[in-house]
Amino acid sequence: MTITVLFFGMLAEETQTSILELNTNSIRLSDFEKEVLDLFPKLKNMSFKIAVNETFANGEVELTSKSKVAFLPPFAGG
Amino acid sequence: MLSHLEKYRYSRQLILDNVKEEGQLHLKNSSVLVIGAGGLGCPVLLYLVGSGIGRIGIMDHDNIDESNLHRQVLYSTEDCGKSKALIAEKKLLAQNPFVKIETYPFKLSATNARELFKKYDLIVDGTDNFSARYIINDAAVLENKPVVYGALYKFEGQVAVFNYQNGPTYRCLFPNPPSKTPNCNEAGVLGVLPGIIGLYMANEVLKICLGIGKILSGKLQLYNGLTHELSTLTITKNINLKIKAMQTDYETSGISVCTFDNVKIQEIDSESFSELIKTEAVFLDVRENWEKPRISSKGLLEIPLDQLENRVKEIPKNKQVIVFCKSGGRSKIAIHLLTKHFGFKNLYNLKDGLKSCLLT
């Protein structure tokens, strides 16, 4: 299935994209996250939280072909 | 009660069905502590004062710098070098004498936060570092105060209301500060972004005080100034998270900032140094070649201070570079030189030098 992936802030800079579509066989979010990190190894050292379909989620959440997975880092600036 | 002058001043707001005289009195009886009178704090303060919030606390330990002025709209060129909190007070009282302003021109800490928060109904987080954000979160949870939060990165902003009527807190979203890797380089920001985000924040404050509208609780709103994209993500409360007391140390990033001859220098502590030495960071030893002990690391550069200018090309600009010497003095001079005359922005000083690492 194809999953839409969104990156915000410094994550978008590291991946050089803010949106992309990924083909995956992973059902669980935690497996899908590993795939994304293998694709963009620099993200392994960065802090972020993942939202699925606009709700922050844990690794147990199951993905479907319509899922939108957003990677969001904390911002400190003010 | 509102005086005639107040009724006239706020008349365009009072005629709103959702506000009326009663709502304006709610605002007058409200107290808000704004932490950080910078990019976010300035617009928040200007509009809260304009709207007639009765009592406003301003906390900021910093002085005004000319590089603040493109976004920190409360301050003028002539204010440079003066206290942000005190200048903000002066400008805001001129804007609206009906508002009571209280100033705290010192740093928020784990020890002073709770006492201060007790005096206000609501806290505004307009700070620029993680350590302050976690202090605010924990003190607000312990004192049961809602926090209106805003944060920026380049062209993007985040807004949320945390700890509102027992709703999710900042730690439900990000349980702990980011890891120790130095990543808080001055990222840069377009002047208008803190204005946009700050006004979203002020809007939430007013709605909370008025008891109207939908509050951004349990939500994180994201705004991208380049694309106009506005998304709202849902945050769920982590019921396993219990904050029972303030932590003793919030400087978890291991990074602090000092000023040396008008140049801001980022410093890391010995603990972060010992961790970073195992990574791919570049280390720049500015001691003389005969000084012992020598350090071995994959990314080590050895350039004594007096050779630095001639060998500046050897130092990468696109990686984090940790500069060190015996006790942290020469490395500061080196960073000052490289920052001021060669445009480096990626340098970190090992605070108190190599001797602080060898002792621990």
Side-chain angles (χ1 to χ4, degrees):
Chain A
M1 61 184 172
T2 306
I3 304 278
T4 307
V5 186
L6 304 162
F7 295 108
F8 290 92
M10 40 295 237
L11 304 181
E13 287 174 351
E14 286 298 343
T15 60
Q16 298 188 345
T17 180
S18 56
I19 181 164
L20 69 102
E21 303 220 309
L22 275 184
N23 273 314
T24 181
N25 294 320
S26 299
I27 304 285
R28 277 163 47 108
L29 176 61
S30 55
D31 296 329
F32 182 69
E33 179 186 347
K34 274 186 208 126
E35 280 185 48
V36 174
L37 294 187
D38 285 338
L39 202 58
F40 301 106
K42 280 185 180 168
L43 300 192
K44 286 179 187 167
N45 298 322
M46 300 176 80
S47 297
F48 55 78
K49 188 94 179 185
I50 304 177
V52 176
N53 299 331
E54 304 191 324
T55 298
F56 287 103
N58 64 32
E60 306 295 315
V61 167
E62 295 193 352
L63 305 177
T64 69
S65 59
K66 283 178 190 155
S67 294
K68 261 165 82 178
V69 178
F71 286 70
L72 182 93
F75 292 175
Chain B
M1 278 290 286
L2 296 172
S3 67
H4 287 300
L5 282 172
E6 283 174 291
K7 279 183 197 163
Y8 185 67
R9 172 180 284 258
Y10 304 122
S11 53
R12 299 302 185 273
Q13 190 164 282
L14 279 173
I15 56 175
L16 289 167
D17 278 345
N18 282 344
V19 180
K20 296 191 175 154
E21 207 173 311
E22 191 194 340
Q24 193 62 49
L25 265 172
H26 281 313
L27 296 181
K28 189 178 177 175
N29 292 329
S30 297
S31 56
V32 177
L33 175 63
V34 179
I35 305 175
L40 294 170
C42 285
V44 169
L45 285 164
L46 278 163
Y47 279 88
L48 294 188
V49 167
S51 305
I53 294 284
R55 188 163 58 85
I56 295 179
I58 308 172
M59 184 170 214
D60 200 312
H61 64 282
D62 218 351
N63 290 338
I64 300 156
D65 185 84
E66 204 161 341
S67 65
N68 301 148
L69 301 181
H70 86 296
R71 65 191 188 286
Q72 301 184 15
V73 291
L74 266 171
Y75 313 122
S76 319
T77 314
E78 63 185 18
D79 301 326
C80 290
K82 296 177 186 159
S83 154
K84 287 187 183 177
L86 300 181
I87 294 294
E89 176 189 35
K90 195 175 121 193
K91 303 261 167 110
L92 294 166
L93 282 176
Q95 184 197 348
N96 187 353
F98 293 103
V99 171
K100 188 166 186 266
I101 308 267
E102 294 160 342
T103 53
Y104 307 96
F106 49 85
K107 201 170 174 178
L108 179 77
S109 73
T111 41
N112 66 23
R114 286 188 67 175
E115 273 313 300
L116 209 56
F117 285 21
K118 281 189 211 298
K119 300 184 199 164
Y120 295 89
D121 302 328
L122 190 153
I123 314 300
V124 172
D125 177 357
T127 60
D128 63 356
N129 63 85
F130 287 115
S131 125
R133 291 186 185 283
Y134 283 88
I135 293 175
I136 291 172
N137 180 77
D138 293 358
V141 169
L142 292 167
E143 294 301 329
N144 195 22
K145 309 284 175 172
V147 177
V148 175
Y149 156 96
L152 312 169
Y153 182 75
K154 293 190 178 174
F155 295 97
E156 293 173 62
Q158 302 176 343
V159 191
V161 177
F162 291 119
N163 203 41
Y164 177 73
Q165 295 179 349
N166 210 22
T169 73
Y170 187 51
R171 282 194 193 268
C172 297
L173 180 59
F174 297 112
N176 294 300
S179 61
K180 294 194 170 208
T181 317
N183 59 2
C184 56
N185 264 320
E186 292 278 336
V189 65
L190 200 65
V192 292
L193 186 77
I196 294 168
I197 299 300
L199 291 196
Y200 275 117
M201 294 165 74
N203 189 38
E204 292 307 306
V205 174
L206 294 180
K207 286 189 310 186
I208 292 171
C209 296
L210 288 166
I212 61 171
K214 238 162 96 180
I215 306 302
L216 205 56
S217 168
K219 306 275 176 195
L220 182 75
Q221 185 184 290
L222 309 171
Y223 173 76
N224 185 320
L226 287 180
T227 61
H228 282 299
E229 270 168 309
L230 196 60
S231 5
T232 310
L233 306 180
T234 302
I235 308 166
T236 40
K237 190 172 165 80
N238 179 355
I239 48 164
N240 298 318
L241 196 74
K242 295 266 184 290
I243 295 165
K244 292 187 178 131
M246 296 300 286
Q247 294 177 6
T248 46
D249 183 17
Y250 283 86
E251 300 293 334
T252 39
S253 72
I255 300 170
S256 51
V257 177
C258 73
T259 308
F260 179 71
D261 194 14
N262 290 327
V263 171
K264 275 195 176 156
I265 294 181
Q266 303 188 84
E267 297 196 297
I268 62 164
D269 57 22
S270 56
E271 201 185 322
S272 315
F273 184 80
S274 314
E275 278 182 25
L276 283 165
I277 204 138
K278 300 171 206 148
T279 70
E280 289 181 3
V282 173
F283 290 83
L284 173 58
D285 186 347
V286 295
R287 293 176 303 160
E288 299 300 317
N289 291 326
W290 50 263
E291 286 179 75
K292 294 221 162 45
R294 303 313 292 177
I295 296 297
S296 56
S297 160
K298 213 167 47 181
L300 180 71
L301 288 169
E302 294 176 308
I303 312 178
L305 183 59
D306 57 5
Q307 297 176 23
L308 208 55
E309 278 188 75
N310 295 330
R311 295 176 58 186
V312 73
K313 283 192 181 140
E314 294 172 38
I315 308 163
K317 277 191 168 170
N318 57 353
K319 285 182 188 168
Q320 284 153 355
V321 178
I322 292 96
V323 188
F324 67 96
C325 62
K326 187 182 166 194
S327 50
R330 280 172 290 171
S331 50
K332 256 189 212 174
I333 297 171
I335 293 177
H336 181 269
L337 175 88
L338 294 169
T339 307
K340 206 165 173 181
H341 300 291
F342 297 96
F344 281 83
K345 289 177 182 149
N346 52 331
L347 309 174
Y348 296 82
N349 186 40
L350 170 60
K351 199 175 182 175
D352 302 324
L354 213 47
K355 67 171 201 252
S356 69
C357 302
L358 301 172
L359 287 173
T360 52

